[in-house]
Amino acid sequence: MTKGRGQKTEACRVVGAACQLPARSADKKPPSIFSPRSSECGFTLVELIVVIAILSILAGALLNRVWFYQEQAEKTAMVEVAGAIQTALVLQYGRLMVRGTEDEILALAADNPMSWLAKKPGNYSGEFYDPTPRSVAPGNWMFDLKARELVYVVDRSEYFVPGQSGQKWIRYRVNLMREPAQEAAEKKLKDLSGVLFEPAEPYRWL
């Protein structure tokens, strides 16, 4: 009986030893996420680089769209001011035509269009004699006393194509329109067919 019990106890010890997991060495370090080949971490180094590259591309595309919409907002604001000036010009022209004051009508071409507005826009910087694009901050209006033109200096110009001057601005002038048959003849008040507030040179702003 004693011998049988001893064999059984020895067998249990052997089985228990086989079920025990080997102890982890104290010198073994945990795997690093920067290890090029690791089966125990979430990402390998290559996968991490790919993820960062994809996120960078998406962030760049998002910023590009944000800048595009900001530029479109600037363009829309400028067009709205130009439209308000055109409306004010037509009202001025109609009022002067009723009164029949030829000199005042002809003087519209030299007036500062901002004077026709009940309230000037906040980004109007005033009058300058023979200004340059650096005379005012980008995104502002100014009146050129020498050329008698209203000028808008473009701020965001990624999609802006300037005219022949090559400057990043848009110059507006008042154009007194006349009947085609009277262009070469003597210019009289009755020959006028209207007024137009238009760019002095063509440009493109996508």
Side-chain angles (χ1 to χ4, degrees), residues 8 57 60 86 109 128 170 180 187 200:
K8 187 175 181 180
I57 294 173
Q86 172 65 35
F128 297 82
I170 302 172
K187 296 181 179 180

Side-chain angles (χ1 to χ4, degrees), residues 8-103:
K8 187 175 181 180
T9 303
E10 186 67 23
C12 291
R13 290 178 180 176
V14 173
V15 173
C19 294
Q20 291 180 357
L21 295 175
R24 178 175 293 181
S25 173
D27 297 334
K28 187 176 181 181
K29 297 181 180 180
S32 171
I33 62 172
F34 298 103
S35 175
R37 301 292 296 176
S38 175
S39 60
E40 299 183 18
C41 62
F43 295 97
T44 64
L45 179 59
V46 174
E47 291 171 337
L48 186 61
I49 293 175
V50 170
V51 170
I52 293 175
I54 293 175
L55 292 177
S56 299
I57 294 173
L58 292 177
L62 178 61
L63 285 176
N64 186 58
R65 297 310 297 173
V66 170
W67 291 334
F68 172 77
Y69 288 122
Q70 288 178 339
E71 187 167 338
Q72 290 300 304
E74 178 188 355
K75 175 186 174 183
T76 301
M78 184 211 70
V79 171
E80 287 179 352
V81 172
I85 291 175
Q86 172 65 35
T87 301
L89 172 60
V90 171
L91 293 176
Q92 285 285 100
Y93 174 76
R95 180 177 62 84
L96 295 176
M97 283 293 290
V98 171
R99 292 168 52 183
T101 53
E102 181 175 359
D103 292 340

Side-chain angles (χ1 to χ4, degrees), residues 3-205:
K3 184 177 180 180
R5 289 181 180 178
Q7 292 177 348
K8 187 175 181 180
T9 303
E10 186 67 23
C12 291
R13 290 178 180 176
V14 173
V15 173
C19 294
Q20 291 180 357
L21 295 175
R24 178 175 293 181
S25 173
D27 297 334
K28 187 176 181 181
K29 297 181 180 180
S32 171
I33 62 172
F34 298 103
S35 175
R37 301 292 296 176
S38 175
S39 60
E40 299 183 18
C41 62
F43 295 97
T44 64
L45 179 59
V46 174
E47 291 171 337
L48 186 61
I49 293 175
V50 170
V51 170
I52 293 175
I54 293 175
L55 292 177
S56 299
I57 294 173
L58 292 177
L62 178 61
L63 285 176
N64 186 58
R65 297 310 297 173
V66 170
W67 291 334
F68 172 77
Y69 288 122
Q70 288 178 339
E71 187 167 338
Q72 290 300 304
E74 178 188 355
K75 175 186 174 183
T76 301
M78 184 211 70
V79 171
E80 287 179 352
V81 172
I85 291 175
Q86 172 65 35
T87 301
L89 172 60
V90 171
L91 293 176
Q92 285 285 100
Y93 174 76
R95 180 177 62 84
L96 295 176
M97 283 293 290
V98 171
R99 292 168 52 183
T101 53
E102 181 175 359
D103 292 340
E104 292 184 9
I105 292 177
L106 297 178
L108 287 175
D111 281 352
N112 181 352
M114 286 295 181
S115 63
W116 307 329
L117 299 178
K119 183 179 180 180
K120 297 179 177 62
N123 59 343
Y124 173 63
S125 298
E127 299 179 341
F128 297 82
Y129 186 83
D130 196 17
T132 68
R134 295 185 178 182
S135 298
V136 297
N140 283 264
W141 292 89
M142 60 180 171
F143 183 69
D144 185 347
L145 291 170
K146 180 179 180 180
R148 312 306 297 182
E149 294 174 348
L150 191 63
V151 185
Y152 179 78
V153 180
V154 178
D155 183 11
R156 304 182 183 278
S157 57
E158 182 70 22
Y159 300 93
F160 177 75
V161 181
Q164 295 180 352
S165 66
Q167 301 287 0
K168 292 182 179 180
W169 61 13
I170 302 172
R171 304 182 69 96
Y172 284 90
R173 66 160 61 113
V174 176
N175 182 22
L176 299 176
M177 297 180 294
R178 299 178 181 275
E179 296 294 338
Q182 302 293 337
E183 289 290 343
E186 182 181 357
K187 296 181 179 180
K188 298 180 180 180
L189 180 60
K190 63 180 181 180
D191 301 331
L192 291 174
S193 60
V195 288
L196 189 63
F197 183 69
E198 60 183 359
E201 61 179 11
Y203 71 93
R204 288 192 298 116
W205 202 350

